[in-house]
Amino acid sequence: MGLSSGDGAQLCVFDLRRGQQEGQELDKILFFHPADCPILLQLSVIGLCEGIITFSRIFSPDDDCEVIESENHSHVFYQAEADIWMVLVVEKNKDSELTWRCGALQGILKEVHSLFTMFYGPIRTLLDRQPSAELARGHLRTFVTDYLSDFSAGKKLQLPTFRDCLKERGTVQMLTISREVALEIQSLTTVLGSCLGNVMCQSLVLFGDLLVSTTLPPDDTLNLYTYAVLRLTPHALSSYANSWSYLRKGTSVHSVPTSSSSNGTASVERPLQREKLYKGKDGFVTADFATSEIRGAVPSAPILWFRQAEDRMHLCVYQHKNITILLLTPASSLINGDEGITHVKRHLLEHASQNIVTVEQKLSRGWGGENAYHVGGYRYLLVDPDRKVSRASPPGKVTTLSKDSLLSLNRQREEIDLEKSRAGRSDSCHDKDFEICIRAKNNSWVIAKVTRGRELYMALEKGGETLLYASTAVEKFSNRYCEGAFSTD
Amino acid sequence: MLQLPRAPRPIHLRLMVCTPPTPRALRLAFQQTPPPNALAECSRVLKKSGQMKLLHREKEPASVFEGNRKNVLLSGKMQGGLGSVGTLSHAYVQHPPLRCDIPDIRGIFYDDANKFLIAPTADRILYWKITPSTPAGPPNSDPINDGPVLSVRYSLDQKAIGIQRSNHEVEFRNRETGETCNKKWRVDSETLLGFFWTDCPTYDVIFVKTSGLDLLAYEPQSNALRLVDSKKFNVSWYLYTHESRLIVLASGMQCTLFTGYQFSASGVVKLPKFEMTVSKSEANSKPVLAADDVHIVTVYGRIYCLQLDRVSMTLNMYRFYRDAVVHQGTLPTYSSRIAVSVVDNIIMVHQIDAKVVILYDIFMDSYAPISAPLPLLVRRLPSNNRQATQSSDNQSSAYGGTLYGEGWNFLNPDLVCDVENGLLWKLHLDLEAIAASTSDAPSVLEFLQRRKSDLSMVKTLSLAIVRTVILERRPITMVAKAMDVVLDSYSRLMKMGSDLPGVRRTSEQNLQSGVQPVVNPDSSSGDGNRPVQSNSGVEHGIANHTANVDRTLLNTSSDSDDITNASGGANQEMSGLQASDVAERKPLVVGKDSRPLASGTSMQHGTHVANVAVSPSEMFESVFVLVEDEMMGDPAYLVSIIMEFLRSVSKAGLKAPPNLYVMTTTLLAHSNRYPEIMLFVSNKILEPSKELAMQLMELGRQNSPTRKLGVDMLRERGLHQDYVSALLQDGYYLEALRYARKYKVITVPPALFLEEAVATNSAKNLAAVLSFFTEFVPTFKTTSDYARYRHILSEMI
């Protein structure tokens, strides 16, 4: 689904502060996908984007340009850092399969940028450190390409379409657990937190692809969670093992010789490179970076930058059956790199193994399977932007919806996105409540409800005839599954 | 009834007993003075042997209690003096003793079944009831006929007195009628060794003779004895304690062959014959085991026998089962003479030559002493203040010379009679000192929670220990274990609380056994409290239950095996709900009851037993609240501790007080851990309550998602009025209005809504609010609010 025709999608990153003199325009470009795109075409795309950005700033100095819709293309903009822009260009087509939602595409740009920042720090910092931009370009090339490899189907990018309208990128999916288990996990978190003695370690615990506990603020949790689900969870690790033989062929990226492993940040090689990640016998997921050129220089744990934590952190990943533990130790507290990490690992094995086993057992016992959060009759998506948490009907159930319902829902979400940004501009400190119920062509009810910041989207295909039916259904759902958050007052 | 279990898996049937004493008539005392540095020698040996389970206070690393001693331990520490040796001690006798040095008496006897200290004179028997506490007044008396008295035992219903007149004759006297009847044996063939009363259904009196046992029924009406049965075998000497209902009879050349019977209310159990081993000093010597060297000991409802082996200087410990006698281990001794007492299930082995006592707690089958050998002290009642302590020092030093003196006789289980001076002392444990002697908090707490006497002290100490380990930032796992211990024992008690039928059954048996009025030192205090409680409501009912239960607990002695076997088992499934119910209400009750306690003068008895266990809310008030300020520097540690506490609480099926959640959120917010607050609220680790909701809203001033959590919690809890006010405060007046209409919240004045509407400067909304109130509040049009906002609206338009 959702194949872009031709060479379709392009993704570029450029810096408006660079290459301001004629003839040096090429200097603006930090990244361009596909890499084999002719330079002239690259320049023309970026030239257009820059023009639109400059132009729209005249009218709207505070808010960025979000999208240009032309006859054949959509340009989705995201200003990742001041004057550093990311643009995704997707080709339009008569085929309704290629119906996107701007917000969803922007989500991809946001996601790749946050992940990049987590591993390498802000792009601006990289540029400031090395004005020739080789470092930044090198990292972006490997990182974004590795990231996009997830979307690639053959040579093309397969971007999320309307069929994914009951998913929300940039949110965390939580596992619902009983209080007793939550306390058990909290106890594990305490043990994990003390892996370094006096300095508190942070940790994330995942069960399968669902988050169980975190000690980090929502933003950082989200980034790490996203990374974990992309590459570290048992599911992510095994999906590569099963399919790498044919998937890898088209997208091999030439390994980049690292020029600067001494400056600290280059120590992370390619965190999104699937081939190098594996779970060791000791249960730790490690990256096999010990290639000839960088042997010894690289600690096996990546260093992460966090937006909300002051320190850089070492990441240590431990896995036991379905449990994945992301343990973060402040880089400054690990005086002697590898040795410190070995110590942390030993501490974890010695003190936390028992807890981990118990927790894993309890969670596995309580786990309702992949359809655990299915609610009969409903296809829904619940988003809590404050906590950056979402929950949705299982994908397998969403596919049973008809195309009409999905298209209507996609359309409706687009409306809500607009409405939200409009409300946000007029009164940013009060949440505005919305409710939209649509009777789609196929007689299904498509409902969106935003209450006190929380969002609920649902499609009811076997609904009754009346609007009353739809609102009763929402009411029931709200009372039963959302503690009344969406109930009509 | 204390019954012997079967080996190897001990089965304890119900034990509903009293703490009673030894049958041995007072044996007059000892020789020798102890070697001068016996104590030092003793400590040295023990240290070398590496057997100390708990560390000695002097060796303790960076003294656990020192830092917080003032607030941790009870003020007004009592320390008697024993001159040169110093004041460290884990056991003491309490001053003043019972004085029984009445001029005319012809010896002193102890009736362990009734706990009477008996002193016959020429024509009377004087007796003191030793239970529940040492009496102060003059003795009671019964007239008797003149004649020699070898021993005296009152029947278990106290209607008759048995007086052994000679080795062949016992006189029985009906106390009401004064009638007597004499039981005599032929002089030549056999000698009477002694006799005792039993609550066995078929017999009343048992005579022990050199040729065996005579089992007789006693008929009080006719004051006659009827021989029911007799058992023939040779007996050299015997031991009996009423506490264990067990008699062991020694025979053989070396007196090492034993026959044993248990005569309990549920029948007679014959133990298999067994032999004790005695080491030989030389190849040909045949040492004879003396009655003095064997001690029956009852702890935690189990019956043990301690046998001193003089040659190897060890105490052999045997445990009695229904069908076996199993050697359990050996304890070292450091004196050629020892005495054994049991105080609150702790075995005290007095090393008489060394004048020190070693304590053992064999609950977990560990035979390591719980403390270093330390001397016994004399102490004044703890209720007195410091001045009194000083005076007690004087007194004890005046008495000092006779501790472990010539006239000391140890009465089962916890009494010492100084026959020379006519004094009766009761032995006590110094729980405070024992607790202070180790830094292993969980095991000290376990030890304390097993104690049945001095309950308020147990509680105070337990709380103090938990506080201390937190303040000292001990490893979290250790603190967690410590809290587990405390809460486990609370929840066990609560579970018993819901198990009323079991309790009743036990007390009935108590009555049937005919020893009820006197056996239980704590029953009288429990009874004493009952009238006070019974005059109000349900909660007191619960208190009653708990009181009852605790008594059962005491009676059955807390071997967890027999608790469940006896009564807990059947009702355990159903007790879950009730238990938590009780747990929830209990603090109220405790609050009321604990008041007299706090100011209470007596630490020993009269303590309400229900108060021993520490409830979660008491933990909160006496631990977390008190340490909070000091822990503000390291809130993360305290939060982790609270999490472990919550885990223990939930594991024990109890409920934590809402204020603890409030404290937790405050601590988290203090270190900017708002995301975790969110996580904990969403997974219900912080259980919703109004208090918590309000605190979240308060903290939400710095962090709006947290405020939202609080507001949502108000809605989820159905606190309509608070929810409406919260919405109003945040400026969501239309939402508030809708909600108010739906849930008929009429307590929030219209002016608040109107004011908010004015503040947003929207005529449309103001008009809507106005028309809402005119429509839904009939009298609204007549109020000044209406006129005022009407006016404002017209100006807006």
Side-chain angles (χ1 to χ4, degrees):
Chain A
M1 39 177 178
L3 289 184
S4 57
S5 64
D7 279 334
Q10 294 157 329
L11 193 155
C12 58
V13 183
F14 56 91
D15 178 9
L16 289 185
R17 294 184 192 168
R18 302 175 68 89
Q20 285 305 317
Q21 273 153 26
E22 207 171 324
Q24 294 181 355
E25 286 87 353
L26 210 53
D27 198 32
K28 285 177 195 169
I29 306 176
L30 300 176
F31 173 81
F32 203 97
H33 174 90
D36 53 3
C37 180
I39 296 292
L40 277 180
L41 186 59
Q42 293 190 15
L43 283 176
S44 92
V45 169
I46 284 165
L48 173 66
C49 292
E50 186 177 1
I52 296 289
I53 289 164
T54 319
F55 178 66
S56 67
R57 268 185 182 165
I58 301 170
F59 310 103
S60 163
D62 298 328
D63 288 294
D64 300 333
C65 166
E66 285 174 350
V67 66
I68 320 170
E69 300 282 357
S70 64
E71 193 181 349
N72 291 324
H73 292 91
S74 293
H75 289 64
V76 180
F77 289 79
Y78 174 58
Q79 183 174 203
E81 292 165 36
D83 287 329
I84 292 176
W85 288 79
M86 300 175 84
V87 179
L88 185 61
V89 186
V90 288
E91 203 167 348
K92 284 186 178 172
N93 193 310
K94 291 273 155 29
D95 182 4
S96 63
E97 281 300 331
L98 296 181
T99 306
W100 290 289
R101 186 166 60 91
C102 165
L105 297 181
Q106 219 171 27
I108 294 178
L109 299 177
K110 278 183 191 159
E111 183 170 281
V112 66
H113 177 258
S114 338
L115 287 177
F116 182 87
T117 319
M118 177 167 78
F119 288 106
Y120 301 100
I123 299 174
R124 181 62 69 202
T125 316
L126 292 177
L127 292 174
D128 289 347
R129 195 183 310 150
Q130 200 201 39
S132 73
E134 243 174 72
L135 188 63
R137 286 201 182 100
H139 286 324
L140 278 168
R141 183 164 60 238
T142 53
F143 188 84
V144 181
T145 313
D146 283 342
Y147 177 80
L148 288 177
S149 71
D150 285 7
F151 294 93
S152 68
K155 286 202 112 186
K156 297 162 199 162
L157 290 185
Q158 180 185 315
L159 298 173
T161 64
F162 70 95
R163 294 202 178 270
D164 300 303
C165 64
L166 283 179
K167 277 181 199 154
E168 182 72 356
R169 191 174 292 275
T171 54
V172 169
Q173 272 91 57
M174 303 276 302
L175 180 71
T176 302
I177 45 178
S178 71
R179 181 169 189 268
E180 179 216 356
V181 180
L183 285 164
E184 204 70 49
I185 287 161
Q186 204 45 44
S187 172
L188 168 63
T189 310
T190 306
V191 179
L192 293 174
S194 64
C195 275
L196 213 56
N198 295 329
V199 186
M200 268 270 278
C201 298
Q202 310 285 340
S203 63
L204 259 74
V205 180
L206 283 88
F207 179 80
D209 282 355
L210 298 172
L211 183 70
V212 172
S213 106
T214 173
T215 58
L216 290 170
D219 284 340
D220 296 329
T221 299
L222 174 62
N223 286 337
L224 262 184
Y225 169 80
T226 311
Y227 178 51
V229 172
L230 284 177
R231 292 294 180 268
L232 303 176
T233 58
H235 180 248
L237 286 173
S238 65
S239 71
Y240 164 69
N242 294 338
S243 58
W244 74 279
S245 53
Y246 67 93
L247 227 163
R248 290 302 104 190
K249 281 175 189 156
T251 55
S252 71
V253 176
H254 303 291
S255 104
V256 186
T258 42
S259 51
S260 50
S261 51
S262 55
N263 63 15
T265 54
S267 56
V268 192
E269 280 316 290
R270 291 170 52 185
L272 286 181
Q273 196 180 16
R274 280 182 193 271
E275 300 90 323
K276 297 290 168 87
L277 288 165
Y278 67 95
K279 182 182 160 186
K281 283 205 182 92
D282 54 357
F284 288 97
V285 176
T286 41
D288 176 25
F289 293 134
T291 47
S292 55
E293 70 240 65
I294 45 173
R295 192 193 315 127
V298 182
S300 49
I303 293 181
L304 306 177
W305 299 71
F306 279 123
R307 209 177 291 176
Q308 288 175 33
E310 295 124 34
D311 207 351
R312 288 183 306 144
M313 302 271 197
H314 278 280
L315 172 66
C316 197
V317 184
Y318 179 78
Q319 211 159 72
H320 169 72
K321 293 188 181 167
N322 276 318
I323 293 257
T324 307
I325 289 170
L326 280 64
L327 181 67
L328 298 154
T329 48
S332 60
S333 328
L334 285 178
I335 300 149
N336 37 5
D338 272 354
E339 209 174 295
I341 290 192
T342 318
H343 171 77
V344 167
K345 284 183 173 176
R346 201 185 321 121
H347 190 279
L348 187 144
L349 287 176
E350 274 169 21
H351 294 90
S353 311
Q354 192 49 50
N355 292 37
I356 293 171
V357 171
T358 329
V359 164
E360 205 280 336
Q361 280 169 354
K362 291 199 171 171
L363 289 177
S364 297
R365 218 175 295 144
W367 169 232
E370 59 172 4
N371 283 341
Y373 300 130
H374 174 58
V375 181
Y378 294 86
R379 300 292 179 274
Y380 67 95
L381 168 69
L382 262 171
V383 185
D384 184 348
D386 284 334
R387 295 174 57 203
K388 296 198 189 305
V389 167
S390 72
R391 168 160 300 168
S393 292
K397 298 285 178 184
V398 174
T399 52
T400 64
L401 284 179
S402 72
K403 193 172 168 186
D404 277 342
S405 313
L406 287 167
L407 279 170
S408 316
L409 192 57
N410 194 54
R411 182 74 212 290
Q412 192 187 37
R413 288 204 62 186
E414 197 119 34
E415 288 301 320
I416 292 281
D417 287 347
L418 273 176
E419 200 56 46
K420 272 196 302 184
S421 61
R422 214 171 282 152
R425 273 195 291 275
S426 63
D427 180 5
S428 57
C429 56
H430 278 92
D431 298 316
K432 207 172 165 203
D433 295 356
F434 313 99
E435 183 169 8
I436 307 179
C437 292
I438 298 174
R439 184 79 160 161
K441 273 185 228 159
N442 62 344
N443 278 343
S444 62
W445 284 104
V446 175
I447 303 158
K449 190 159 185 181
V450 181
T451 306
R452 308 228 10 193
R454 262 180 285 185
E455 302 164 22
L456 171 67
Y457 304 95
M458 58 168 61
L460 307 167
E461 286 202 323
K462 297 187 192 88
E465 289 299 313
T466 61
L467 185 60
L468 188 64
Y469 166 82
S471 69
T472 314
V474 172
E475 188 86 10
K476 255 192 217 159
F477 186 88
S478 157
N479 288 333
R480 179 81 182 76
Y481 301 102
C482 319
E483 279 144 345
F486 296 97
S487 302
T488 326
D489 291 331
Chain B
M1 186 50 53
L2 183 65
Q3 280 212 334
L4 291 177
R6 288 183 191 284
R9 187 167 168 276
I11 301 165
H12 291 261
L13 294 182
R14 186 162 301 106
L15 161 90
M16 32 168 268
V17 170
C18 48
T19 19
T22 206
R24 270 177 267 181
L26 296 184
R27 226 173 272 117
L28 289 179
F30 312 109
Q31 328 79 35
Q32 291 177 14
T33 43
N37 30 3
L39 172 65
E41 174 67 8
C42 208
S43 295
R44 196 184 58 75
V45 176
L46 265 189
K47 277 176 196 166
K48 209 167 125 194
S49 70
Q51 269 196 324
M52 304 295 296
K53 185 164 72 179
L54 307 181
L55 292 169
H56 187 284
R57 193 191 307 181
E58 288 164 338
K59 303 198 299 176
E60 156 195 347
S63 178
V64 186
F65 282 89
E66 239 34 76
N68 304 293
R69 214 170 166 102
K70 265 168 276 151
N71 52 5
V72 162
L73 299 177
L74 291 185
S75 58
K77 281 199 45 130
M78 255 52 63
Q79 298 237 306
L82 198 67
S84 57
V85 188
T87 53
L88 276 183
S89 151
H90 294 146
Y92 62 96
V93 292
Q94 200 155 69
H95 192 87
L98 170 67
R99 305 204 82 93
C100 47
D101 50 349
I102 293 166
D104 298 338
I105 56 172
R106 303 171 172 183
I108 299 173
F109 303 97
Y110 185 64
D111 176 358
D112 72 336
N114 296 300
K115 299 204 171 223
F116 287 176
L117 188 69
I118 297 167
T121 63
D123 58 346
R124 305 198 73 78
I125 285 178
L126 306 176
Y127 68 94
W128 293 264
K129 286 185 184 177
I130 305 304
T131 176
S133 57
T134 327
N140 306 318
S141 74
D142 275 307
I144 52 161
N145 300 329
D146 196 7
V149 177
L150 295 187
S151 83
V152 180
R153 283 177 174 276
Y154 281 68
S155 69
L156 299 180
D157 57 7
Q158 295 172 15
K159 285 184 177 154
I161 315 172
I163 306 158
Q164 187 181 353
R165 293 297 190 177
S166 73
N167 285 342
H168 306 280
E169 181 180 0
V170 178
E171 174 185 319
F172 287 88
R173 183 186 177 88
N174 187 314
R175 286 177 77 193
E176 281 166 27
T177 60
E179 286 174 45
T180 60
C181 94
N182 283 27
K183 172 80 186 168
K184 290 180 185 169
W185 285 267
R186 277 176 296 138
V187 178
D188 49 344
S189 61
E190 52 196 11
T191 308
L192 183 65
L193 294 170
F195 77 100
F196 55 87
W197 298 85
T198 168
D199 50 7
C200 186
T202 36
Y203 320 115
D204 296 309
V205 188
I206 289 162
F207 292 99
V208 189
K209 304 173 298 176
T210 47
S211 61
L213 298 176
D214 278 358
L215 316 166
L216 296 95
Y218 174 73
E219 277 140 26
Q221 289 82 10
S222 56
N223 196 25
L225 289 158
R226 181 167 52 83
L227 183 68
V228 180
D229 197 0
S230 65
K231 304 195 185 283
K232 296 288 174 204
F233 41 79
N234 288 324
V235 179
S236 309
W237 47 260
Y238 80 102
L239 288 178
Y240 174 78
T241 67
H242 185 78
E243 186 183 30
S244 62
R245 309 288 200 275
L246 183 78
I247 180 168
V248 289
L249 304 128
S251 60
M253 290 286 285
Q254 293 174 272
C255 299
T256 51
L257 295 172
F258 286 88
T259 316
Y261 289 93
Q262 190 185 36
F263 296 102
S264 68
S266 53
V268 181
V269 178
K270 183 177 192 299
L271 297 182
K273 284 199 164 71
F274 63 100
E275 187 172 2
M276 289 180 183
T277 49
V278 182
S279 321
K280 297 171 187 171
S281 49
E282 296 150 41
N284 294 328
S285 74
K286 293 228 159 125
V288 176
L289 191 58
D292 276 351
D293 294 340
V294 181
H295 309 266
I296 297 176
V297 167
T298 313
V299 286
Y300 298 114
R302 313 167 198 159
I303 306 172
Y304 294 90
C305 180
L306 295 178
Q307 172 232 337
L308 176 65
D309 188 327
R310 289 175 182 276
V311 175
S312 66
M313 291 286 269
T314 52
L315 260 182
N316 289 317
M317 179 176 248
Y318 301 87
R319 176 159 180 203
F320 292 114
Y321 296 89
R322 272 168 167 274
D323 46 7
V325 178
V326 181
H327 185 258
Q328 303 269 303
T330 56
L331 310 175
T333 59
Y334 306 99
S335 163
S336 60
R337 289 178 307 149
I338 60 138
V340 177
S341 309
V342 175
V343 178
D344 199 0
N345 291 322
I346 297 296
I347 300 179
M348 289 183 174
V349 181
H350 305 273
Q351 317 281 333
I352 291 166
D353 294 343
K355 292 198 175 188
V356 291
V357 56
I358 304 178
L359 310 182
Y360 297 92
D361 182 11
I362 53 170
F363 184 74
M364 301 297 263
D365 284 339
S366 153
Y367 303 105
I370 53 171
S371 67
L374 285 174
L376 201 63
L377 294 187
V378 180
R379 285 205 195 153
R380 183 165 281 280
L381 272 174
S383 57
N384 296 348
N385 56 19
R386 216 156 254 171
Q387 287 167 343
T389 315
Q390 283 161 5
S391 70
S392 95
D393 281 349
N394 299 337
Q395 268 160 330
S396 60
S397 55
Y399 181 76
T402 57
L403 275 171
Y404 290 116
E406 296 291 308
W408 273 42
N409 279 271
F410 292 85
L411 308 178
N412 189 41
D414 58 355
L415 297 171
V416 180
C417 185
D418 182 349
V419 184
E420 284 185 354
N421 299 297
L423 300 174
L424 182 80
W425 303 94
K426 195 167 161 58
L427 290 161
H428 293 274
L429 289 171
D430 186 345
L431 295 179
E432 187 181 339
I434 295 171
S437 68
T438 173
S439 54
D440 181 1
S443 56
V444 172
L445 285 168
E446 272 170 11
F447 169 83
L448 287 174
Q449 294 296 319
R450 284 200 290 269
R451 304 286 65 85
K452 301 300 169 202
S453 64
D454 212 350
L455 298 179
S456 64
M457 173 66 104
V458 165
K459 189 166 187 167
T460 315
L461 283 175
S462 300
L463 288 168
I465 289 169
V466 177
R467 236 169 13 233
T468 310
V469 290
I470 294 175
L471 286 172
E472 287 171 357
R473 290 177 174 63
R474 300 287 197 84
I476 288 159
T477 43
M478 198 251 241
V479 182
K481 223 160 143 197
M483 295 186 300
D484 259 353
V485 170
V486 175
L487 289 173
D488 273 357
S489 106
Y490 178 78
S491 83
R492 208 162 49 229
L493 218 57
M494 287 303 103
K495 285 218 177 78
M496 301 293 288
S498 60
D499 182 24
L500 294 172
V503 174
R504 218 164 282 140
R505 227 166 34 235
T506 317
S507 26
E508 276 164 19
Q509 287 205 351
N510 248 337
L511 283 170
Q512 285 166 4
S513 70
V515 286
Q516 199 255 356
V518 272
V519 282
N520 189 351
D522 296 287
S523 66
S524 58
S525 63
D527 291 342
N529 281 334
R530 207 166 294 164
V532 185
Q533 294 165 347
S534 59
N535 53 21
S536 74
V538 187
E539 285 157 11
H540 279 121
I542 291 163
N544 252 340
H545 299 161
T546 22
N548 277 339
V549 172
D550 290 348
R551 237 173 40 244
T552 327
L553 240 186
L554 281 183
N555 292 342
T556 49
S557 86
S558 74
D559 191 338
S560 52
D561 276 358
D562 46 17
I563 289 169
T564 42
N565 280 351
S567 42
N571 289 298
Q572 244 168 9
E573 295 88 345
M574 59 162 266
S575 70
L577 265 179
Q578 292 170 347
S580 62
D581 213 347
V582 174
E584 260 176 82
R585 293 188 219 179
K586 170 129 199 295
L588 294 170
V589 183
V590 170
K592 278 174 199 162
D593 289 351
S594 63
R595 222 167 295 137
L597 240 194
S599 62
T601 47
S602 166
M603 295 293 229
Q604 306 310 311
H605 299 284
T607 305
H608 197 299
V609 264
N611 276 327
V612 62
V614 181
S615 71
S617 52
E618 282 171 307
M619 279 281 273
F620 170 69
E621 274 147 31
S622 310
V623 176
F624 294 114
V625 171
L626 298 183
V627 301
E628 189 187 6
D629 278 345
E630 283 196 51
M631 299 304 292
M632 267 335 234
D634 186 7
Y637 177 80
L638 190 52
V639 168
S640 306
I641 297 291
I642 292 175
M643 287 299 146
E644 291 298 326
F645 176 70
L646 292 177
R647 194 161 74 111
S648 302
V649 169
S650 120
K651 215 163 54 185
L654 304 169
K655 271 187 101 59
N659 283 334
L660 180 62
Y661 300 129
V662 173
M663 177 189 275
T664 314
T665 39
T666 315
L667 288 167
L668 286 168
H670 192 75
S671 39
N672 255 325
R673 290 161 67 184
Y674 291 102
E676 277 162 279
I677 297 181
M678 235 183 264
L679 182 71
F680 294 161
V681 170
S682 77
N683 60 22
K684 302 276 187 293
I685 285 184
L686 302 173
E687 291 177 303
S689 65
K690 183 175 175 181
E691 291 91 336
L692 181 58
M694 292 302 181
Q695 177 70 4
L696 287 170
M697 285 167 54
E698 177 66 30
L699 295 170
R701 288 170 200 274
Q702 275 81 47
N703 182 284
S704 67
T706 306
R707 181 171 173 87
K708 244 186 212 175
L709 279 182
V711 177
D712 283 346
M713 193 177 287
L714 287 178
R715 192 194 61 231
E716 286 157 27
R717 301 288 293 169
L719 299 161
H720 303 311
Q721 189 196 326
D722 299 293
Y723 181 63
V724 169
S725 315
L727 284 179
L728 267 177
Q729 273 173 35
D730 294 352
Y732 295 100
Y733 57 97
L734 290 178
E735 288 84 348
L737 210 54
R738 278 202 290 270
Y739 190 89
R741 183 185 59 193
K742 185 173 178 187
Y743 292 99
K744 309 199 169 38
V745 181
I746 49 169
T747 41
V748 183
L752 291 178
F753 294 89
L754 291 161
E755 198 46 60
E756 282 293 330
V758 172
T760 52
N761 204 20
S762 154
K764 189 177 71 182
N765 288 358
L766 180 56
V769 177
L770 262 180
S771 70
F772 172 87
F773 281 115
T774 40
E775 208 170 308
F776 285 91
V777 184
T779 54
F780 181 66
K781 271 196 168 175
T782 62
T783 60
S784 61
D785 281 341
Y786 175 73
R788 187 162 156 249
Y789 288 97
R790 184 81 234 178
H791 179 68
I792 295 174
L793 179 62
S794 61
E795 280 188 349
M796 273 171 133
I797 300 164

